[in-house]
Amino acid sequence: MDWLIGKSKAKPNGKKPASEEKKMYLEPEHTKSRITDFEFKELVVLPREIDLNEWLASNTTTFFHHINLQYSTISEFCTGETCQTMAVCNTQYYWYDERGKKVKCTAPQYVDFVMSSVQKLVTDEDMFPTKYGREFPSSFEALVKKICKYLFHVLGHIYWAHFKETLALELHGHLNTLYIHFILFTREFSLLDPKETAIMDDLTEVLCCSPGGGGDGDGASGGASGAQNHVKER
């Protein structure tokens, strides 16, 4: 499977879009929008009777489907012309093939690489076994971490480049709820490197550490605003 060998790298794209000065998705009237006030921190905890790998597999597959669905709602606005690069804030993500060669692609192409690769993976019985008696591969946790990294990129791009359309479709409550659940789950099992998620720390702080967000804290976003300015190439 190509993408298992390939990788994605990020580096500052040198541009400072106007939207960076004022991020619409951070406005209080939008961040308070959810489809439920459920305490997600309780929802992500591993149930006593469930195997860890089973829990990771089930949730990862669910997040993949929900994030894919969320992206599909704005996909007609994410084109090679509107999104010539896979950008989130001031960072541009690159896709690398199985030979380690950089693939120059637009955002919709990048998302297609992600979704088609993850689809193949979660439906592969050798990687995500569903039949009784089948064991998970020794590399399973690493695979889940890689999937989560790519799904995070997609979520970040939706917020950064297509929040206006998401707002117009009145789906920002769904997006916020999905983001909170995803981030708290990945935190619970240390599935994402903090350096990877730093680019969206301001949003994470507001959504996940505010009342109803499922985390701890008072919702202040101070101290996180500069984190997204220095994402090193990986």
Side-chain angles (χ1 to χ4, degrees), residues 54 124-127 129-136:
E54 291 280 1
D124 185 340
E125 276 293 321
D126 291 329
M127 300 296 177
T130 59
K131 298 177 181 178
Y132 181 77
R134 294 292 295 272
E135 295 185 359
F136 286 88

Side-chain angles (χ1 to χ4, degrees), residues 29-44:
E29 62 184 296
H30 303 323
T31 59
K32 67 183 180 181
S33 183
R34 324 274 156 89
I35 59 173
T36 177
D37 290 326
F38 191 83
E39 187 65 52
F40 283 102
K41 199 164 182 64
E42 298 176 7
L43 187 63
V44 301

Side-chain angles (χ1 to χ4, degrees), residues 3-37:
W3 88 293
L4 298 180
I5 305 173
K7 53 189 175 181
S8 169
K9 289 191 177 182
K11 68 177 183 180
N13 62 17
K15 299 178 181 179
K16 186 174 182 180
S19 54
E20 184 175 312
E21 299 175 5
K22 185 177 181 181
K23 300 174 182 177
M24 187 182 297
Y25 54 80
L26 290 179
E27 295 179 10
E29 62 184 296
H30 303 323
T31 59
K32 67 183 180 181
S33 183
R34 324 274 156 89
I35 59 173
T36 177
D37 290 326

Side-chain angles (χ1 to χ4, degrees), residues 3-121:
W3 88 293
L4 298 180
I5 305 173
K7 53 189 175 181
S8 169
K9 289 191 177 182
K11 68 177 183 180
N13 62 17
K15 299 178 181 179
K16 186 174 182 180
S19 54
E20 184 175 312
E21 299 175 5
K22 185 177 181 181
K23 300 174 182 177
M24 187 182 297
Y25 54 80
L26 290 179
E27 295 179 10
E29 62 184 296
H30 303 323
T31 59
K32 67 183 180 181
S33 183
R34 324 274 156 89
I35 59 173
T36 177
D37 290 326
F38 191 83
E39 187 65 52
F40 283 102
K41 199 164 182 64
E42 298 176 7
L43 187 63
V44 301
V45 175
L46 176 67
R48 188 175 304 174
E49 68 280 4
I50 301 296
D51 173 72
L52 174 59
N53 283 339
E54 291 280 1
W55 187 241
L56 292 179
S58 174
N59 281 274
T60 300
T61 302
T62 298
F63 283 127
F64 159 62
H65 289 303
H66 281 294
I67 293 173
N68 192 25
L69 181 61
Q70 188 78 43
Y71 177 78
S72 72
T73 64
I74 54 84
S75 60
E76 65 179 295
F77 307 106
C78 187
T79 68
E81 293 183 356
T82 62
C83 301
Q84 297 180 16
T85 63
M86 181 61 178
V88 178
C89 296
N90 69 333
T91 297
Q92 179 177 338
Y93 294 103
Y94 297 93
W95 189 266
Y96 283 68
D97 64 19
E98 71 279 7
R99 299 173 186 170
K101 182 180 179 181
K102 181 187 291 187
V103 178
K104 186 176 182 180
C105 56
T106 63
Q109 289 174 326
Y110 184 98
V111 175
D112 184 59
F113 281 139
V114 170
M115 296 306 177
S116 59
S117 297
V118 177
Q119 175 68 36
K120 290 178 182 178
L121 189 61

